[in-house]
């Protein structure tokens, strides 16, 4: 039995177990954690046992929530218990429990904060928020100037409490040390410090900060295990979000790290929502299902999801599954083309509808894409709509809201379709939203590409990491267009690309000189890609090198034969601030002052983390600016 059968463990339980180890045992911890694979076995009364030799047995007794939430629930039979290596290794091999599975956090400590000399200075450590390629030079390279994580930061009406400021400072210290260590040295001991800081944030009422720290820990674990689902860019973004939120909290500005958690559902009263489309959900961990996108009053997007274990078969079949909301009689196919009148609605901060006990739902008539208020989604200027969508993506939890536009198909261009926004708009790339070959997205886009000149109404999710790229979820005919889709009446003027298969009779007859029905013509030349043409990839590679190999890897990369290979191309492209920040990061990574005995004078990673964060935030803002400009 693999360690996947181990119950989840609360962060503070693992952090306390690691803290009790001696320095000699901590050096052996990572190797012992790796030895736990395949040793877990089911014990009596729902316990899980891991045996080390003949005389040592570690027993985990999860509580009612299914998680180990107290130190007394993890016991070892060796003589050093509970300060033993076996117990800490088993806890380190177990997955980290989510906040939902943990008991409610107690009130924050009323004691006044203790001054910390390592806490980052609010002026010296707040990152730069650059909004354009043409940049102005900061007063001092490498020293951040204004708070932000790539977009404007809103100052809350109330300042964080002293306990929250202390929690932010603890998060900053732990994250800075983890960043300096990198994936290669970010073992269980480093992760335990992050988990302790995450628990402190939870006690202080900072669920978003706690979630950011847990995301970094999970990313470090997956990267060290060389998991296929982990991308280095995702871990880099997780470090950026954690450090940016921690520095805002430590400086006395709550920022995006404070506030309610994403899954906190609040009463929304009476709510009328209209269906937009369905989207299949398929995860690498074996979960599958469907998410139905809805439009609420005031143009607010809502989602209703049905995701369970089952993988691909569950994702394909859930499109016609019944909607589990207030006794409604609709299925997801009917809801995507209909609507609901909900009483006692519960809505999360990111727009998800909850199925509470007092929720009641009544089916109502939906709206075609050509009818208000849905038609307003496609009438907004595309650049204005993209800017609003990208600005709203991160506060909602990472997934960008939907974007609607009317386009004309130009044809296939490599691995995507090239379309032009009607009314003299930009050339946009349509890429499949879900590339799994058993889903219909790829087949439907390939068939659409065989009809150049087709007028199409598209509803999808813009890709924030690619220039002028839209991942379509549903398509429909453009009202009044002669050369557009001809969909069945029961489809209500839209086709869900993940569930509805487009056939030949859904398309207009092609011109006599056009390619046969559904056959793509000659490849279309892709439009310019300002993000790919900019040398910002050099900065991104430097930042990801630091995440993978730690501070030492950044210093060694800067000592290469051609030290001008990083800043010179950036300055030639007008990215002077990016060049200055990258040089400052490399210089700080290589700054290791020592005394006459060879001992480090300053072992803190605070300055290195500030330099890395400044460069990461600037890169994020510059790339976001280029992506927005590509939609012009």
């Amino acid at each position: 039995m693999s360690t996947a059968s181990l119950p989840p463990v609360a962060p503070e339980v693992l952090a306390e177990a690691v803290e009790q180890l001696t320095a000699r045992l901590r050096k052996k911890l990572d190797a012992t954690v790796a030895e736990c694979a395949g040793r877990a076995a089911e014990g009596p009364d729902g316990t899980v046992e891991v045996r080390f030799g003949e005389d040592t047995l570690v027993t985990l007794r999860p509580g009612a929530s299914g998680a180990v939430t107290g130190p007394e629930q993890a016991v070892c039979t060796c003589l050093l218990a509970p300060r033993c290596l076996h117990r800490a290794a088993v806890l380190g091999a177990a997955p980290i429990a989510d906040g939902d599975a943990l008991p409610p956090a107690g009130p924050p400590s009323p004691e006044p904060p203790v001054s910390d000399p390592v806490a980052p200075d609010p002026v010296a450590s707040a990152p730069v928020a650059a909004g354009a390629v043409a940049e102005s030079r900061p007063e001092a390279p490498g020293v951040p100037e204004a708070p932000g994580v790539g977009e404007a930061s809103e100052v809350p009406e109330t300042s964080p409490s002293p306990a929250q400021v202390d929690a932010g400072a603890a998060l900053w210290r732990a994250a800075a040390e983890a960043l300096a260590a990198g994936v290669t040295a970010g073992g269980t001991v480093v992760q335990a410090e992050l988990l302790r800081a995450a628990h402190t944030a939870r006690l202080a009422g900072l669920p978003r900060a706690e979630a950011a720290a847990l995301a970094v820990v999970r990313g470090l674990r997956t990267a060290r295990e060389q998991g296929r689902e982990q991308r280095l860019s995702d871990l880099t973004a997780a470090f950026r979000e954690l450090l940016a939120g921690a520095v805002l909290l430590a400086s006395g500005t709550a920022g995006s790290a404070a506030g309610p958690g994403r899954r906190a559902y609040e009463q929304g009263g009476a709510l009328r929502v209209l269906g937009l489309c369905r989207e299949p959900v398929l995860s690498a961990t074996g979960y599958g299902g469907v998410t139905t996108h809805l439009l609420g009053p005031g143009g607010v997007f809502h989602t209703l999801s049905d995701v369970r274990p089952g993988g691909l078969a569950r994702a394909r079949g859930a499109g016609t599954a019944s909607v589990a909301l207030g006794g409604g009689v609709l299925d997801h196919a009917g809801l995507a083309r209909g609507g609901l009148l909900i009483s006692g609605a519960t809505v999360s901060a990111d727009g998800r509808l909850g199925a509470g006990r007092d929720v009641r739902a009544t089916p109502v008539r939906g709206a075609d894409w050509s009818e208000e208020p849905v038609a307003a989604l496609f009438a907004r200027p595309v650049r204005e709509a993209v800017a609003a969508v990208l600005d709203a993506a991160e506060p909602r939890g990472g997934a960008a809201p939907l974007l609607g536009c009317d386009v004309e198909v130009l044809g296939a261009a490599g691995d995507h379709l090239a379309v032009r926004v009607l009314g003299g708009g930009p050339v946009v790339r349509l890429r499949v939203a879900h590339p799994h070959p058993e889903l219909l997205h790829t087949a439907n886009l390939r068939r659409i590409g065989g009809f150049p000149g087709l007028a199409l109404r598209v509803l999808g999710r813009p890709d924030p990491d690619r220039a002028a790229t839209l991942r379509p979820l549903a398509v429909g005919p453009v009202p009044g267009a002669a050369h557009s889709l001809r969909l069945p009446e029961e489809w209500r003027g839209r086709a869900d690309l993940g569930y509805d298969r487009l056939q030949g009779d859904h398309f207009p007859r092609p011109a006599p000189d056009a390619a046969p029905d559904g056959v793509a013509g000659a490849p279309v030349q892709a439009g310019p890609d300002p993000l790919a043409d900019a040398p910002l990839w050099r900065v991104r590679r430097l930042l990801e090198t630091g995440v993978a190999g730690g501070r030492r890897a950044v210093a060694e990369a800067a000592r290469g034969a051609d030290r001008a290979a990083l800043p010179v191309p950036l300055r030639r492209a007008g990215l002077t601030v990016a060049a200055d920040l990258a040089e400052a990061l490399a210089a700080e990574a290589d700054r290791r002052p020592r005394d006459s005995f060879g001992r480090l004078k300053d072992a803190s990673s605070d300055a290195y983390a500030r330099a890395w964060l400044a460069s990461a935030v600037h890169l994020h803002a510059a790339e976001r600016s280029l992506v927005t400009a590509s939609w012009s």
Side-chain angles (χ1 to χ4, degrees):
M1 187 176 297
S2 66
T3 55
S5 62
L6 291 172
V9 174
E12 64 272 17
V13 176
L14 173 58
E16 182 181 358
V18 174
E19 186 181 16
Q20 292 177 344
L21 297 179
T22 63
R24 181 179 62 86
L25 294 179
R26 290 187 183 188
K27 295 179 181 179
K28 302 179 180 180
L29 181 57
D30 288 333
T32 309
V33 169
E35 294 177 2
C36 293
R39 293 191 177 187
E42 296 291 341
D45 301 329
T47 61
V48 178
E49 298 177 345
V50 180
R51 183 171 294 279
F52 294 86
E54 297 181 358
D55 301 330
T56 303
L57 181 67
V58 178
T59 304
L60 301 182
R61 297 185 176 88
S65 63
V68 176
T69 58
E72 71 281 355
Q73 295 175 276
V75 296
C76 181
T77 59
C78 74
L79 298 178
L80 294 180
R83 304 173 181 269
C84 64
L85 180 63
H86 314 103
R87 178 174 175 269
V90 172
L91 293 175
I96 302 299
D98 291 324
D100 297 341
L102 302 178
S109 176
E111 287 83 12
V114 180
S115 59
D116 192 332
V118 188
D121 181 80
V123 176
S125 57
V128 172
V133 179
E135 304 157 299
S136 61
R137 184 181 180 92
E139 295 181 0
V143 179
E145 293 178 345
V149 289
E151 66 277 324
S153 298
E154 297 180 0
V155 179
E157 296 181 359
T158 58
S159 301
S161 66
Q164 291 176 334
V165 173
D166 285 349
L171 278 172
W172 172 267
R173 292 192 298 270
E177 294 299 328
L179 178 66
V183 172
T184 55
T188 308
V189 175
V190 173
Q191 296 170 19
E193 293 301 321
L194 275 171
L195 294 176
R196 178 174 294 281
H199 177 62
T200 303
R202 181 169 180 265
L203 293 179
L206 299 171
R208 291 184 182 177
E210 177 198 19
L214 295 183
V216 170
V217 172
R218 294 189 177 101
L220 287 173
R221 287 188 170 191
T222 306
R224 289 176 61 85
E225 297 168 0
Q226 298 181 352
R228 292 180 299 174
E229 65 274 11
Q230 175 63 37
R231 297 188 305 170
L232 191 58
S233 59
D234 294 336
L235 183 55
T236 303
F239 264 111
R240 186 193 71 238
E241 294 174 4
L242 174 59
L243 289 168
V247 74
L248 290 173
L249 288 168
S251 62
T253 305
S256 60
R262 286 189 345 178
R263 299 196 179 186
Y265 287 83
E266 298 180 355
Q267 293 295 330
L271 186 65
R272 187 175 188 268
V273 293
L274 302 174
L276 294 175
C277 64
R278 294 170 294 168
E279 176 184 9
V281 177
L282 184 61
S283 72
T285 55
Y287 282 79
V290 62
T291 293
T292 299
H293 297 271
L294 308 163
L295 185 66
V300 177
F301 288 102
H302 297 281
T303 57
L304 186 61
S305 299
D306 181 7
V307 181
R308 302 175 187 175
L312 177 62
R314 179 77 176 85
R316 298 174 65 179
T320 54
S322 299
V323 174
L325 183 67
V329 296
L330 284 178
D331 57 14
H332 280 273
L335 178 58
R337 295 177 169 91
L340 285 177
L341 180 61
I342 308 173
S343 62
T346 56
V347 185
S348 71
D350 57 353
R352 283 177 292 183
L353 298 178
R357 192 167 39 180
D358 299 329
V359 177
R360 297 292 180 268
T362 303
V364 295
R365 179 186 179 276
D368 291 344
W369 282 6
S370 58
E371 300 175 359
E372 296 294 343
V374 181
L377 297 177
F378 305 92
R380 194 174 184 183
V382 64
R383 174 165 186 180
E384 177 185 336
V386 166
V389 165
L390 295 181
D391 288 342
E394 291 181 6
R396 289 172 59 90
L402 301 186
L403 171 71
C405 58
D406 295 339
V407 302
E408 177 188 358
V409 177
L410 301 179
D415 59 349
H416 61 271
L417 293 184
V419 299
R420 184 182 298 277
V421 178
L422 296 179
V427 175
V428 177
R429 300 163 178 83
L430 297 186
R431 295 182 181 270
V432 292
H434 299 278
H436 196 285
E438 296 296 327
L439 298 177
L440 296 179
H441 292 89
T442 302
N444 283 331
L445 273 188
R446 184 181 296 115
R447 180 170 286 273
I448 291 173
F451 293 86
L454 179 71
L456 204 63
R457 177 158 281 188
V458 182
L459 184 66
R461 184 177 292 112
D463 192 333
D465 299 324
R466 296 178 183 267
T469 300
L470 185 67
R471 300 190 179 272
L473 303 179
V475 296
V478 176
H483 196 67
S484 190
L485 290 176
R486 301 180 299 184
L487 300 179
E489 183 178 353
E490 59 269 19
W491 285 14
R492 297 296 301 273
R494 72 203 70 171
D496 298 329
L497 294 179
Y499 290 105
D500 300 325
R501 185 182 296 274
L502 293 175
Q503 305 288 352
D505 57 351
H506 297 154
F507 295 87
R509 292 184 178 180
D513 57 346
D517 290 1
V519 178
V524 177
Q525 184 67 27
D529 189 342
L531 186 59
D533 297 338
L536 289 172
W537 61 269
R538 301 175 184 273
V539 182
R540 188 184 314 113
R541 185 173 63 180
L542 182 66
L543 295 173
E544 292 180 354
T545 297
V547 172
R551 178 174 184 169
R552 180 177 299 178
V554 175
E556 292 177 354
R559 296 194 203 110
D562 189 3
R563 301 190 62 176
L566 177 63
V568 170
L570 292 170
R571 291 195 171 93
R572 286 176 179 172
L575 300 167
T576 56
V577 175
D580 291 340
L581 293 177
E583 281 188 316
L585 171 60
E588 182 58 39
D590 202 24
R591 188 187 67 84
R592 306 288 280 178
R594 299 180 181 272
D595 59 18
S596 56
F597 296 98
R599 297 173 298 189
L600 286 175
K601 292 183 179 179
D602 182 13
S604 172
S605 302
D606 179 71
Y608 169 76
R610 283 190 276 116
W612 187 94
L613 177 60
S615 188
V617 168
H618 182 273
L619 173 66
H620 178 72
E623 290 181 333
R624 180 59 55 85
S625 178
L626 289 173
V627 169
T628 304
S630 68
W631 287 83
S632 300

